[in-house]
Amino acid sequence: MDEKLKVTANGQVITVSDQTEEKHIEIINTGLLRIYKKKNSEQLVKLHYEREQINIITQETNEGIYILFHDYRIRVKDGLHISIEKNGKEYFKEYDGDAVIYEMKKDFSLAELEGHKREETEVDFKTQINIALFDKEDKIYGLGDKAAQLNRRDYEYVSWNTDDPTAHNETYRSLYKSINYLLVNHHGSEYYGLFYPSSYKCIFNLGKYSDRFMYIGSEKGEYDYFLMLGEDPAQITKRYVSLVGNTLFVPRKMLGYHQSRWSYNAEEMEEIREKFKEYDLPIDYIHMDIDYMDAYKVYTVKKSEFPDLKSTAERFEKDGIGLITILDPGVKVEDGYEVYDHLKEMGGFATYQGEQYINQVWPGDSKYPNYFDEKTAGYITQITKDFIAENKVGGIWCDMNEPASFNGPLPDQVAFMGEDGVHYHDEVHNLYGEYMTRAVAKAFEEENKRPAVITRAAFATTSAFSTTWNGDNQSLWAHLEGSLAQVMTMNLCNFAVNGVDIGGFGNETTKELLVRWVEANLFSLFLRNHAAMNTRLQEPYAFDEETLRIYRKMLKLRYEFIPYLYDALEKAHRTGIPVQRPLFFDYPSDEETKQINDEVLIGDSLLFAPVVRQGETKRMVYLPQGTWIDYFTKKEYEGEQTYLIDMPLDSTGIFIKAGSVIPLYKNLLHIEKEKLDTLYLYIEKGGNGEYIHYEDDGESLDYQKGIYNRYKITRTSKEIAFETLEENYVSNYKEIVLLYGDRELKRPFCTEFVCEL
Ligand code: GLC
């Protein structure tokens, strides 16, 4: 062993050092390590630790230092490079070679004359964490909303929340969210997770310049990362979730259909209400974009348009429709405007060179609330609460919170005074959206309501406070196809309630594109049709009879699956297991599954494979191990094979695992508690199966006090047994209907029964 290497232990923090520096390895629990030279601050990035006492052995040998715990052996070599073996096999490795970054240096000015743009790639970092790639087959998943395929390998991304409405594609380095989490697959069935906990701008270069290493580079972040170790993606994801906080459990109504368009006025909203009724279309929310405000002043209502928003909201509510209003951070600079005056007076805005900082957003000159200051955040919570109560709105849609700015980017030194001192823009930028949603979510929680909050900008930890959508996509087939990988990746990163704008936001949709889009996003927990102003209309009835008929069929199908999706969300919230999963998540050693971007596992029983390409009326579907049954044709398929399946325009690919039990609701147009009195249990062909169904009030935080029911359904090919595991909520159910083959067995609801099939 090199005599210069030293090892000391302080509890579960092992410090290794050579003559120039030291590195620490903190073993937090059997599956969670933190490796750092200096920790990133946790004043604003708040993490949770499930500490566990671990038996650790350190050894000094001729080959380096060994640290043994559980099934792992960490080895530290010269240069303090760390590698980990699991059960004697290579599992993780910091790259110990020369990490040369390739730089393009040719003069680009001629190309610029024609309008070509080139983004400069940063190459010098204060911190660079180099991780070895073992093999050309290694896959790298994660990083949230990036517009790419599931496997992000060979690309470079930048964590810097960015508002850019041009057409996103796989070469876009930054989008609206910064979620510094990677799930890496190597050596066939091995997986580990890696989280970089800094809010500062950082680069993830995932093997773009070399097959041998990837790196995280940052100018201001520290050498500090978490490693999630485990047997499979599920275990690793659970460990990641325990660190960043469980995904938000939203009101059940949020799983309904949302209709939106930038520019709806009062009259158009009425028209939607009437048309959805007339056309027998399910709907739960209409979104009100910036046009409802007076001169885009947040927390105001344009009285000429909505003289009495409260009574409008009440009228809509009678028809089962909630209203969700948009909220931007930028506060219009205007003396005499109450919110502005109040924040100005209390020093609740960000400052720059001693003055309150001004940039431009929708209202023109605007200032940015300092959500990092408790008093300011408290004021935002209060006025949000008042706004909701006064206008009876059902949810808040937080936008432009990267934060967006029309007059150039905010300088790094814009200051946000917090309880513990000042934080500058370069540190808070990626957290700005999260802190806004924290303040807004609190407005619901203080009323014992689950937050109905949507945000565009997010950091890794935001999943505990808000739902998300993926910003301004366009009416492009590529964006429809890409939406599946985007939503699956957001789910891998713990954002269960996520979706994209159906039909596409920018640009003009077509009839076929709209139909395929609503089909492809059928199981996204956030399901919203939204479009930019002046684009072609894309409401379900905007085209012809056929479009309307298929759209209606799909929405009704979605509503049937609400209890199944709600169960999966509750499970995600409680355990960290995502709702919409890539196939490899459940079949981690099946090589075929590793790069399937257009099939999604939804919960534990369903595989979804929609048509996502123009003109296709059939598609190839790979089915993993097991027997799968086509939900529409009832045809049975054996797994580990690829099939060509017919999917005419009015059909999509839903496959149920043999032996599954799926709870359904029927005949719902709105998710209202009163109407959820009949529970349907769809019993698929096949042998044994088990399912846990969850029931609560769907809206309050009472579930946190244990006020819910949990039922277990066990089935064999001969009988079905229903039992109640937990019962603290007065059930809504009056009737149970078993759907088995062509049969419908109705029975009054009771908490325990056995029934022959
Ligand atoms: C942003 C949002 C979009 C919204 C528009 C107007 O572009 O991403 O959803 O409609 O602003 O508020």
Side-chain angles (χ1 to χ4, degrees), residues 163 176 262 289-290 326 328 362 397 399-400 456 469 471-472 501 505 528 530-531:
D163 168 29
Y176 306 91
W262 177 7
D289 208 319
I290 49 174
I326 200 167
D328 294 342
W362 306 123
W397 159 25
D399 191 21
M400 307 293 277
R456 193 172 71 175
W469 98 104
D472 297 346
D501 289 343
F505 175 75
R528 180 181 73 165
H530 180 51

Side-chain angles (χ1 to χ4, degrees), residues 249-253 444-445 447-451 566 573 673 694 696-708 729:
F249 193 26
V250 294
R252 182 168 42 211
K253 191 173 174 63
F444 291 84
E445 286 161 358
E447 299 288 328
N448 190 33
K449 286 195 222 150
R450 290 181 221 167
Y566 191 62
H573 167 71
K673 211 164 59 190
Y694 173 88
D696 66 9
D697 68 15
E699 56 193 8
S700 78
L701 297 172
D702 289 355
Y703 74 93
Q704 293 174 350
K705 296 183 220 134
I707 306 182
Y708 56 79
Y729 172 69

Side-chain angles (χ1 to χ4, degrees), residues 163 359-364 368 400 403-410 456:
D163 168 29
N359 202 311
Q360 294 210 333
V361 264
W362 306 123
Y368 294 80
M400 307 293 277
S405 52
F406 298 163
N407 193 14
L410 277 67
R456 193 172 71 175

Side-chain angles (χ1 to χ4, degrees), residues 31 156 168 172 182 197 243 282 288 370 426 442 490 636 723:
E156 180 179 86
H168 311 142
Y172 263 57
L182 301 176
L243 189 63
M288 296 173 69
N370 174 9
D426 52 3
K442 230 176 174 184
M490 285 299 287
E636 235 173 275
E723 60 183 309

